[in-house]
Amino acid sequence: MAQVQPAPPSDPAQPTAREVLDACVQNRADTLPNPFVDVPRNHWAYKAVLTMHYCGVYRQATPPSLIERLLNQQSPRSS
């Protein structure tokens, strides 16, 4: 009888807006979850692909519009 293997998660863990913002500002988008099954961590374009996905196409500069959008996505904290 064949063993049943669990299916991989269809949706990788979603980073918070703050995590994305911090990673983009620090040029570390490669530390965020990889949403692409066809781009392994050891691929030569891995960091570039994740940077474009999370931060946009600006080279090592997080555009103010992205910062504003990410900050506005954060839910207000309850006291």
Side-chain angles (χ1 to χ4, degrees):
M1 178 179 246
Q3 245 183 339
V4 176
Q5 297 293 324
S10 59
D11 187 21
Q14 293 297 313
T16 65
R18 175 55 67 184
E19 290 171 329
V20 172
L21 179 60
D22 289 344
C24 291
V25 168
Q26 297 171 19
N27 192 26
R28 300 285 301 156
D30 57 323
T31 63
L32 297 170
N34 181 359
F36 304 105
V37 296
D38 59 342
V39 183
R41 183 172 284 281
N42 64 349
H43 190 276
W44 64 268
Y46 181 81
K47 184 173 183 174
V49 169
L50 265 63
T51 299
M52 287 182 64
H53 174 74
Y54 286 111
C55 309
V57 297
Y58 291 87
R59 181 184 287 263
Q60 294 187 5
T62 305
S65 60
L66 175 63
I67 293 172
E68 183 177 335
R69 181 173 54 87
L70 290 171
L71 290 174
N72 288 335
Q73 283 180 2
Q74 292 185 7
S75 57
R77 297 199 184 256
S78 56
S79 299

